[in-house]
Amino acid sequence: MDYRVLVRREPTADGPDGKQLRASAQTGRFPVEEEFQLFLKDRQWNAEEHTIPAMEAGQVVFLDRYYLSSMAYQGARGMDPESIRVENEKIAPRPDLVFLFELPVEESLRRIGENRAVGPDEFEGRDLLPRAKAHFDAMDWPEIVRVDAMQPVDVVGRQLLDAMLNLLEPTRETS
């Protein structure tokens, strides 16, 4: 079966609030409440302009990060993850499927160092990542598929594909 697909990232690179958030990753983060409001406005813009229209047109929408990331990262900075969830679900649809790639913090930082000339950004601080990970670990949603990102790429890819096809084609048999 063929699917029409929309792929987006958050924070957005083309929304005014997303641009501010992306810049803050290099220049220094906003106070947590201000940062949360920027994420919320960027997400609402993305939902209204891209996500919801694509879903209404029958497209499959992939988002690199979404409000569960806000729950974890702003939660790691002291906000209540449940209130973050509630505010986000007022303006954006709940995801049907979430892939949560799990890696030890040290391995995450090692990979960032190997794959980026500039290294970790302001959202990836050694002190913040364990707190964000604890928030992700506490999420117990049926939509979450936890992926051991230490596995070989082909194994991870197969797990992702099977989970997506099981959602899109529930009567199909997995390999």
Side-chain angles (χ1 to χ4, degrees):
M1 182 173 245
D2 291 330
Y3 297 98
R4 291 178 31 236
V5 177
L6 172 69
V7 178
R8 300 283 299 163
R9 294 174 46 169
E10 290 191 358
T12 65
D14 51 351
D17 300 299
K19 289 177 185 176
Q20 287 185 59
L21 287 162
R22 286 191 173 277
S24 76
Q26 301 306 318
T27 60
R29 295 180 73 177
F30 292 97
V32 67
E33 288 285 343
E34 183 179 349
E35 181 176 85
F36 171 65
Q37 289 303 316
L38 286 169
F39 270 108
L40 202 58
K41 289 184 344 186
D42 186 52
R43 187 161 294 124
Q44 182 172 6
W45 176 83
N46 196 34
E48 290 172 355
E49 294 294 319
H50 300 283
T51 306
I52 293 170
M55 292 170 65
E56 288 173 348
Q59 288 183 282
V60 174
V61 178
F62 285 97
L63 289 171
D64 179 5
R65 296 183 193 85
Y66 198 42
Y67 67 83
L68 279 78
S69 292
S70 292
M71 292 167 64
Y73 282 87
Q74 278 71 55
R77 294 183 68 200
M79 289 189 69
D80 174 43
E82 182 61 13
S83 66
I84 293 170
R85 182 195 62 77
V86 168
E87 289 304 308
N88 275 278
E89 288 181 358
K90 290 177 183 176
I91 54 98
R94 186 171 172 119
D96 294 314
L97 183 63
V98 174
F99 292 118
L100 187 53
F101 295 89
E102 297 185 318
L103 274 178
V105 169
E106 290 304 317
E107 177 63 11
S108 298
L109 291 169
R110 185 190 71 72
R111 289 183 185 187
I112 290 167
E114 282 183 3
N115 294 304
R116 283 195 217 147
V118 296
D121 65 30
E122 294 288 326
F123 289 89
E124 300 160 332
R126 185 177 302 279
D127 61 327
L128 180 71
L129 288 179
R131 295 193 314 268
K133 182 182 181 319
H135 284 285
F136 279 123
D137 289 347
M139 293 177 189
D140 186 25
W141 293 20
E143 298 90 350
I144 294 175
V145 174
R146 294 180 185 276
V147 178
D148 177 358
M150 293 293 289
Q151 298 178 95
V153 171
D154 61 323
V155 174
V156 169
R158 182 83 247 168
Q159 184 179 358
L160 302 179
L161 182 60
D162 285 346
M164 286 183 286
L165 291 175
N166 285 337
L167 177 67
L168 297 168
E169 303 171 16
T171 58
R172 125 189 205 298
E173 295 198 18
T174 59
S175 57

